Amino acid sequence: MDNQNSNCSSPAIALAFLGGAMAGVVAGFLLAPKSGEETRRELKGYARRTEEEVLEKAKEARAALDETIERGKHFLREKAVDVEAAAKAGGEAIKQTIDKCCS
């Protein structure tokens, strides 16, 4: 056998796996020994539950993002105060050095 370098990335492989799994689930539903109406009802229920889960995860992600943004703003405000104090102290030190030197 030839050793071939695969150019597939891990995310591509994972996506292919998930796509195959979803195709298997759909095929299982469609080929199951249930009526079409019952299968459609189950698919709608699954889609509804999945939609609710995705919306909940999106809300959680948004809340986490908002919290991170607020922490970032707080951090920047603190650092701005520190920089302002350092600049003021540096200006005072330069002024004192000039006063000593030129007096």
Side-chain angles (χ1 to χ4, degrees), residues 17-84:
F17 176 78
L18 289 174
M22 289 301 295
V25 168
V26 170
F29 275 128
L30 295 177
L31 299 175
K34 296 179 183 177
S35 70
E37 183 179 329
E38 188 177 350
T39 301
R40 284 190 295 276
R41 198 173 334 122
E42 285 183 16
L43 285 172
K44 286 179 184 177
Y46 174 76
R48 186 175 48 252
R49 286 188 306 275
T50 302
E51 178 185 17
E52 290 170 359
E53 290 174 9
V54 167
L55 290 174
E56 184 62 32
K57 293 295 181 189
K59 288 177 185 177
E60 291 172 8
R62 180 59 194 207
L65 178 62
D66 288 344
E67 181 183 339
T68 301
I69 289 171
E70 285 304 314
R71 286 193 339 225
K73 287 179 180 178
H74 179 70
F75 176 80
L76 288 176
R77 283 191 297 268
E78 286 179 349
K79 294 307 166 191
V81 169
D82 291 347
V83 168
E84 186 178 331

Side-chain angles (χ1 to χ4, degrees), residues 3-14:
N3 285 337
Q4 297 180 358
N5 288 336
S6 176
N7 290 334
C8 294
S9 65
S10 295
I13 291 171

